[in-house]
Amino acid sequence: MNSSNRFLVAVVGAGPAGLFGARELANLGARVVVFNRDIKPGGLAEYGVYPSKHTMKEGFRKQFRQTLALPGVDYYGNVVIGSHGDLTLDDLRKLGFDAVLVSAGAQGTKWLGLPGEELEGVYHAKDVVYFYNQLPPFTQKHFRFGRRCVIVGAGNVMVDVAHFLVRERKVEEVIAVVRRGPLEVNFTVKEMEAVIANLDLEQLDAEIARVAPSMRDVGQDPQAGKARILAALPKAVPATSNTRLRFEFLTSPVQMHGSGGMLTQLEVEDNVLALKDGDTKARGTGNRRRLDVETVIFAIGDKVDEAFGLPVEASEFVKNPQPRFPIEGLSYEAFDPKVGKPIQGVFVGGWSRKASEGLVGYARKDGINAAKAVWEYLQTLHPRNAHPEAVFARLKDLGKPVVTKTDIQKLEAVEAAEAMKRGLEEFRFGTNEEMLQAMKLLQAV
Ligand SMILES: Cc1cc2nc3c(=O)[nH]c(=O)nc-3n(C[C@H](O)[C@H](O)[C@H](O)COP(=O)(O)OP(=O)(O)OC[C@H]3O[C@@H](n4cnc5c(N)ncnc54)[C@H](O)[C@@H]3O)c2cc1C
Ligand SMILES: NC(=O)c1ccc[n+]([C@@H]2O[C@H](COP(=O)([O-])OP(=O)(O)OC[C@H]3O[C@@H](n4cnc5c(N)ncnc54)[C@H](OP(=O)(O)O)[C@@H]3O)[C@@H](O)[C@H]2O)c1
């Protein structure tokens, strides 16, 4: 018996974690079937990384193509797994999969439950990011990017969304609303270079002066805070708009106000810094004020999809607290806290293990480690012959086009030709229908 036929593993999600996990499993000797919600592989490496980072994106694609080219790896795009999906986890078990690696990213939306979140003009960053990266169906959604836009948060996603509003939408003002101070921001200097030319330097001085007493109270130097924000200035990318970018530190959103269903104001509460367990926390002062804005975008991280069919606590799928197959001390095993037992054969990796954690390199390592945990689990089972053909037969019954790795090659060729024809660095279809037509799959199955 060929060792590559002994175990059949389903990988759910073809982002960096899933694809590097699939490669690891195939190299170890498993037969792997990757299911992906999106037509194209890549996850956030394709539909999150800022669109103008062509070289980086192409570098990732090259590695993903190598994985998909492996004979022991099948790819089925346009297939959603989960309780409300095309196939459930139970369906996968019935199809003969020995293990499932869930690497579906963090597709849930983390709302704070504030009044006014339903108003037009209030969005979560993930949806905006998917929109400007042209991931269907977000391409078809209407977004109201007004003259004055708030982005809540101080991570790299905040900076990416600011990048879009400053350079593409060229709005009048972008305000980053940050609950802690300038020394607690999370974005990297490199990312900030794309927008810092638009930063209102006078306003930054005023803002640092405003929050200086609270910073000093916790032993911080306000000038060090200013230096942290301005670290990107020496390599600032020249401005292409008159957008005014500014920060509101020590500020938390508390309510959105609107008129006729449209957002008109964001109400915020001022915070002070407080030291707790060695960390600097934001504590509300009760002082509230309002900002006149037409758009608020929450860039505060994501959570996993609660409807997927695995138990969720806080923002994460629950992991076995005492893993049978720990890798580097971490648990990759899905766990049911109601019965206090691991969910047999189901593993989580990448942003499905830890939502909004790290870069592509981190997801890659986590996917590989998750695959190692899966492999150790497989060694406890009786080897048997894998029958991936049954999977394709089942997918044919779904009544929708299913995209294979050969189809992806066709799509890439059509998009590359289109880019050349239009004189663009890159071209991508904005709807699933156009992609399916390009692959001649609309009448298929
Ligand atoms: C806006 C933004 C910009 C970023 N920019 C960078 C950057 O410049 N450089 C960098 O290194 N990192 C960047 N990152 C981080 C990087 O994208 C992530 O670390 C990485 O993509 C996470 O990988 P993942 O495989 O865990 O999840 P994801 O990349 O989210 O992949 C999840 C995959 O699962 C699929 N899926 C979801 N649900 C289902 C389901 N139910 N059934 C089947 N398939 C499903 C999705 O279609 C997707 O393909 C960025 C992240 C964001 C949010
Ligand atoms: N270009 C790139 O390289 C790139 C681009 C995008 C994303 N990424 C990566 O993707 C990962 C996720 O990025 P991210 O920006 O989503 O996460 P992040 O770096 O964790 O930033 C989240 C921000 O939201 C704030 N926040 C969280 N909960 C909040 C609340 N209840 N109220 C107000 N503010 C709140 C956090 O503030 P506190 O610090 O106070 O908690 C923090 O400033 C990171 O690893 C990031 O580096 C990389």
Side-chain angles (χ1 to χ4, degrees):
M1 184 175 61
N2 180 342
S3 68
S4 68
N5 281 338
R6 284 165 57 193
F7 297 113
L8 186 60
V9 180
V11 170
V12 179
L19 290 173
F20 284 110
R23 191 182 72 178
E24 181 73 11
L25 280 161
N27 287 342
L28 285 166
R31 189 72 174 78
V32 184
V33 180
V34 181
F35 298 96
N36 197 37
R37 176 199 64 191
D38 307 332
I39 285 179
K40 282 190 195 176
L44 285 167
E46 183 68 36
Y47 292 110
V49 171
Y50 201 77
S52 58
K53 292 185 176 176
H54 296 295
T55 314
M56 181 189 279
K57 285 190 151 178
E58 197 43 40
F60 292 142
R61 280 183 207 125
K62 261 191 198 140
Q63 300 187 58
F64 299 154
R65 282 184 205 120
Q66 285 166 6
T67 294
L68 293 185
L70 293 172
V73 176
D74 289 335
Y75 175 81
Y76 297 119
N78 203 29
V79 179
V80 180
I81 306 296
S83 300
H84 306 290
D86 300 309
L87 297 172
T88 63
L89 287 174
D90 260 353
D91 291 333
L92 295 183
R93 282 189 195 99
K94 284 180 197 145
L95 278 167
F97 285 100
D98 298 294
V100 181
L101 169 54
V102 179
S103 47
Q107 307 300 335
T109 303
K110 196 166 129 190
W111 288 108
L112 299 181
L114 305 178
E117 282 176 349
E118 74 294 344
L119 290 167
E120 186 170 348
V122 182
Y123 308 110
H124 196 280
K126 175 153 44 66
D127 296 14
V128 174
V129 164
Y130 280 161
F131 167 75
Y132 67 62
N133 266 295
Q134 284 185 277
L135 173 66
F138 297 89
T139 18
Q140 270 85 60
K141 292 201 170 146
H142 170 73
F143 290 86
R144 179 175 171 249
F145 301 116
R147 286 184 305 121
R148 304 186 71 211
C149 303
V150 157
I151 314 171
V152 179
N156 278 330
V157 172
M158 179 281 282
V159 178
D160 269 11
V161 173
H163 186 165
F164 167 71
L165 294 172
V166 166
R167 291 192 179 268
E168 300 302 321
R169 290 297 166 139
K170 303 184 192 322
V171 302
E172 201 173 299
E173 186 167 36
V174 174
I175 309 163
V177 164
V178 180
R179 66 174 164 185
R180 297 191 287 164
L183 282 174
E184 285 84 25
V185 294
N186 226 3
F187 52 74
T188 46
V189 174
K190 180 90 197 97
E191 297 315 307
M192 194 64 187
E193 286 167 2
V195 294
I196 198 159
N198 289 72
L199 187 67
D200 182 334
L201 298 178
E202 268 180 42
Q203 188 276 336
L204 179 70
D205 280 338
E207 186 60 8
I208 296 286
R210 184 179 78 84
V211 298
S214 182
M215 291 180 75
R216 287 198 193 95
D217 281 350
V218 293
Q220 293 181 350
D221 172 10
Q223 285 315 305
K226 181 180 170 186
R228 168 68 177 92
I229 302 302
L230 294 182
L233 258 190
K235 290 193 180 167
V237 179
T240 54
S241 73
N242 293 322
T243 305
R244 175 185 185 230
L245 172 65
R246 67 183 183 90
F247 283 89
E248 290 256 356
F249 295 112
L250 294 182
T251 303
S252 287
V254 285
Q255 182 165 359
M256 271 75 63
H257 301 273
S259 167
M262 309 276 218
L263 175 78
T264 54
Q265 287 184 320
L266 172 68
E267 187 169 339
V268 294
E269 179 178 2
D270 289 329
N271 299 325
V272 287
L273 293 172
L275 288 175
K276 196 174 168 213
D277 306 327
D279 198 8
T280 314
K281 303 273 183 202
R283 201 178 61 215
T285 61
N287 185 48
R288 290 185 173 204
R289 54 201 168 84
R290 292 187 184 198
L291 305 170
D292 292 325
V293 290
E294 285 114 27
T295 309
V296 172
I297 299 166
F298 286 90
I300 57 173
D302 298 312
K303 66 175 176 187
V304 296
D305 177 6
E306 282 171 307
F308 185 80
L310 289 177
V312 175
E313 263 170 20
S315 298
E316 300 183 7
F317 292 130
V318 185
K319 270 89 57 189
N320 186 358
Q322 286 160 330
R324 290 170 68 202
F325 315 101
I327 306 289
E328 295 181 15
L330 294 174
S331 175
Y332 290 88
E333 296 152 41
F335 187 78
D336 186 347
K338 276 200 192 129
V339 292
K341 284 192 181 146
I343 300 169
Q344 195 68 7
V346 181
F347 292 75
V348 292
W351 281 23
S352 280
R353 186 186 64 76
K354 189 115 185 75
S356 296
E357 181 87 351
L359 302 177
V360 167
Y362 181 88
R364 170 196 165 120
K365 184 175 180 224
D366 210 61
I368 291 172
N369 281 353
K372 287 178 178 161
V374 172
W375 184 252
E376 284 188 19
Y377 164 73
L378 292 174
Q379 305 317 300
T380 68
L381 306 181
H382 287 297
R384 53 183 186 153
N385 262 326
H387 293 290
E389 315 78 46
V391 179
F392 189 62
R394 176 74 173 81
L395 291 174
K396 279 192 151 189
D397 289 341
L398 290 180
K400 67 188 278 197
V402 170
V403 176
T404 64
K405 51 190 183 181
T406 322
D407 298 323
I408 290 295
Q409 286 171 355
K410 270 189 232 162
L411 177 60
E412 287 188 343
V414 175
E415 287 189 337
E418 198 61 38
M420 194 166 315
K421 204 165 90 190
R422 297 178 187 221
L424 299 171
E425 178 110 24
E426 190 179 319
F427 172 83
R428 49 174 58 187
F429 293 109
T431 64
N432 280 348
E433 288 67 30
E434 288 165 296
M435 284 193 261
L436 292 169
Q437 249 151 21
M439 294 179 282
K440 306 200 184 320
L441 281 177
L442 261 190
Q443 284 84 36
V445 190

